[in-house]
Each structure stands twice: as C-alpha cells, then as structure tokens.
C-alpha cells in the first residue's frame, strides 16, 4: 500500500474525553473491511450499517446507556479516508454538526472509503488483511481479537508484532508469586508457568503503561473475562461481577461466586494496582453495574 494511505497509518481523529476510550471509528472501519473482503461495493447505506455497527458498539465498545452508530458514520469523513454521498440535505443536530439519524435514513445517505483508499486496500488480499490486523492491534487487546474476527466473519488478517516491554509479564508474575490474583491458578510444567498472563488494567491500546502498578497476574480465563468487562476490581481490590454475566454451574464457580471476593495482592505493597488504572477500567471496560447477591 502507498505511503500516503491514512488507513494504514491509522491517523484517526478518535473521540476523546479525558482517558475514556473511543473505538467507534475503528469498529466501523473493521466492519467495512470485513464486508469488502466479501465483495461489497464501496458505499454502504446508513440503513444497512446501523444495526450491525450498533451491535459491535454494544459488544466491544465502552458501556453506554445508549449507542449512536450515526456518529462515527458521519464523523469519519473528517479523517480524509471516508466519504459520504446524498448527505447535502441532511440536517445537523441542534447541539453539534452531526446529521440526525432520521436525516441519514430519509435521504438514504451512504458512506464508504474514498475511491483512492478503496482501490488501494482492495487491490490485494494482503493489504486488506494487513489493514485489519493494524486496526485490531492498535485499538484492542489481543485477548479479544479472535472475538471480533469471529463476530465479523473476517476471512483473513495479519497480526502485527507487539511493541511492548518484554519484561512486563515477568515483573507482574513475579510480583504476584506466579499465581492468578483471582483464582490462585499456578500450573507449571517444569520451570515454565502455563496459562498465566499479565493483564493490563488500563489497556496498552489506551496508553496504559507496562508497569506493575498497571498489571495483575491472571490465568487466561480471567484475563479474557477482565478485558471483556465481565468483572472489574474496585479500589479496595474487591471483585465486582457484571449483572449481565451468566452461564452454567462452571461459570458460577469460576466467575460469579467470586463477586465481592478480594484478589490476592503482591507481596510488596508498593506494587499493588493503582487506583487510577482501576477507576479507568471500571469506567471504560466494566459492563455496567455490579450484581446484587
């Protein structure tokens, strides 16, 4: 792909408010690319993209009482890689310059990559796969890449090598005695720790540092559940399980009954999780309020 491609450079003007994460535009682009892989033409009517994008925002975006897929659909045009048609008559909302959802539907507004970007990205499967991999790597932790790929039925994507502190895992696992802070899992094969990971509290993709205070040792199961917002950890180091989490007796045993339990903390009190990062996780990742047990 040419060096002037903004899509590959991922120079997205994402919405920000303090440290809150915004993955609305990346999810819209991932949806569009997944459809281009299947042969979709350049433009998507807003009507056809509204529900699929809303589902993605609910499942992979930060918790909100309501979701507005019209915002990224309209605002992505400001990044120079997305264009709209039939939008000239669409009236903006009174509070900002975004067009109303009703107007997008009324005038059959359509959006898609600019012709230059579309021709470039669809010129080879390798470019398409690389762009998808770049978006996943930049905006989402690796623990949920496969979930997004499965949801969108993405045919192919290329993983980007991680550019992270190679000592982060070692330092975090050492601090927690090579045990999952949630369940105590500590399997070893010889000298090798199996299935134990260093979870970022504030995501690396959201500029969370690779420091022990921003890490918790977790088994693979609890790491993924933590990244998906199934549970969070309070400033008092207590587990809060989402009221939306449910499942079989094994889910009850592994997740739900741990509600209100304390996690195991590092031996060194100076390495306990930072309240700043825990607050970020609760506001941005945790799937709504705690359950009542």
């Amino acid at each position: 792909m040419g060096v002037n491609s903004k899509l590959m450079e991922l120079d997205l003007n994402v919405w920000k408010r303090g440290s809150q994460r915004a993955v609305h535009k990346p999810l819209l682009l991932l949806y569009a690319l997944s459809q281009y892989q299947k042969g979709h033409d350049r433009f998507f009517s807003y009507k056809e993209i509204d529900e699929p994008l809303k589902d993605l925002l609910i499942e992979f975006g930060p918790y909100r009482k309501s979701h507005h897929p019209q915002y990224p659909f309209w605002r992505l045009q400001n990044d120079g890689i997305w264009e709209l048609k039939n939008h000239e008559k669409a009236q903006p909302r009174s509070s900002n310059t975004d067009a109303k959802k009703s107007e997008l539907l009324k005038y059959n507004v359509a959006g898609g990559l600019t012709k230059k970007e579309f021709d470039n990205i669809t010129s080879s499967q390798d470019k398409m796969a690389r762009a998808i991999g770049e978006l996943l790597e930049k905006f989402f932790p690796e623990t949920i890449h496969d979930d997004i790929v499965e949801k969108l039925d993405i045919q192919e994507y290329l993983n980007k090598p991680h550019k992270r502190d190679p000592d982060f895992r070692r330092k975090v696992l050492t601090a927690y005695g090579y045990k999952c802070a949630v369940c105590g899992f500590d399997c070893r094969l010889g000298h090798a720790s199996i299935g134990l990971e260093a979870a970022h509290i504030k995501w690396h993709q959201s500029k969370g540092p690779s420091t022990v205070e921003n890490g918790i040792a977790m088994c693979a199961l609890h790491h993924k559940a933590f990244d998906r917002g199934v549970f969070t950890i309070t400033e008092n180091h207590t587990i809060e399980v989402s009221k939306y989490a449910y499942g079989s007796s094994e889910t009850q045993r592994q997740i739900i009954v741990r509600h209100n339990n304390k996690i195991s903390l590092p031996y060194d009190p100076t390495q306990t999780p930072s309240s700043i990062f825990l607050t970020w996780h609760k506001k941005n990742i945790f799937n709504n309020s705690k359950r009542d047990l």
Side-chain angles (χ1 to χ4, degrees):
M1 177 166 290
V3 295
N4 293 324
S5 170
K6 285 193 175 184
L7 181 56
M8 288 299 289
E9 292 172 1
L10 297 171
D11 185 20
L12 297 180
N13 181 26
V14 296
W15 176 90
K16 294 179 181 178
R17 179 180 294 162
S19 63
Q20 294 184 47
R21 69 188 182 99
V23 293
H24 304 69
K25 289 180 181 178
L27 285 172
L28 170 56
L29 286 171
L30 284 167
Y31 176 79
L33 292 176
S34 72
Q35 296 304 303
Y36 290 152
Q37 279 190 330
K38 301 176 181 67
H40 198 287
D41 58 24
R42 185 159 68 96
F43 284 100
F44 302 84
S45 69
Y46 180 74
K47 182 177 181 180
E48 71 174 299
I49 217 169
D50 178 63
E51 284 301 322
L53 183 54
K54 183 177 180 180
D55 287 345
L56 289 171
L57 291 172
I58 291 172
E59 187 164 352
F60 301 109
Y63 172 76
R64 297 286 185 268
K65 291 183 178 179
S66 60
H67 294 272
H68 304 281
Q70 67 270 27
Y71 291 167
F73 184 85
W74 183 265
R75 295 174 184 175
L76 191 56
Q77 64 181 312
N78 298 324
D79 291 275
I81 60 172
W82 186 262
E83 66 176 300
L84 302 176
K85 65 177 182 179
N86 306 328
H87 64 292
E88 294 82 4
K89 296 181 180 180
Q91 295 297 312
R93 294 161 53 90
S94 58
S95 58
N96 53 46
T97 59
D98 298 312
K100 301 175 184 176
K101 177 177 178 178
S102 59
E103 297 283 299
L104 298 177
L105 295 170
K106 177 180 179 180
Y107 294 107
N108 194 30
V109 176
L113 290 180
T114 62
K115 189 175 188 307
K116 175 183 176 181
E117 291 290 342
F118 178 80
D119 290 345
N120 208 339
I121 205 72
T122 59
S123 64
S124 75
Q125 287 297 318
D126 180 70
K127 289 180 180 180
M128 186 89 71
R130 191 173 300 278
I132 291 171
E134 292 273 0
L135 284 164
L136 289 170
E137 169 65 21
K138 185 174 179 68
F139 293 101
F140 304 93
E142 189 177 5
T143 52
I144 65 175
H145 288 184
D146 287 347
D147 296 335
I148 296 174
V149 168
E150 181 179 2
K151 178 81 172 182
L152 291 173
D153 191 23
I154 289 172
Q155 298 172 0
E156 184 180 4
Y157 73 102
L158 297 179
N159 285 319
K160 181 180 178 183
H162 299 297
K163 296 180 180 178
R164 303 179 187 177
D165 182 353
D167 289 332
F168 176 65
R169 179 177 183 273
R170 178 185 60 79
K171 291 176 181 177
V172 171
L173 298 193
T174 298
Y176 285 83
Y178 280 81
K179 293 182 180 180
C180 174
V182 176
C183 68
F185 182 83
D186 61 353
C187 180
R188 286 179 176 271
L189 184 63
H191 295 294
S193 177
I194 305 299
L196 200 60
E197 302 169 354
H200 278 84
I201 303 169
K202 181 177 182 181
W203 288 1
H204 175 77
Q205 291 77 6
S206 296
K207 303 189 184 303
S210 293
T211 60
V212 176
E213 296 78 13
N214 188 39
I216 301 177
M218 292 186 185
C219 65
L221 169 66
H222 288 120
H223 185 184
K224 183 163 187 174
F226 186 64
D227 280 350
R228 289 300 302 270
V230 174
F231 70 92
T232 193
I233 297 168
T234 71
E235 295 181 32
N236 294 322
H237 309 123
T238 299
I239 298 167
E240 285 189 7
V241 179
S242 170
K243 66 182 180 182
Y244 295 115
Y246 66 95
S248 65
S249 59
E250 186 64 16
T251 301
Q252 292 281 335
R253 185 178 73 85
Q254 291 285 2
I255 302 286
I256 296 174
V257 298
R258 300 186 188 280
H259 179 65
N260 286 332
N261 286 2
K262 292 275 190 178
I263 64 168
S264 299
L265 294 173
Y267 301 120
D268 181 350
T270 67
Q271 296 181 318
T272 57
S274 165
S275 60
I276 295 174
F277 303 135
L278 293 173
T279 298
W280 180 90
H281 184 275
K282 185 168 185 176
K283 288 183 177 179
N284 289 275
I285 308 301
F286 186 48
N287 197 336
N288 202 12
S289 60
K290 65 181 181 180
R291 66 197 307 118
D292 295 319
L293 292 179

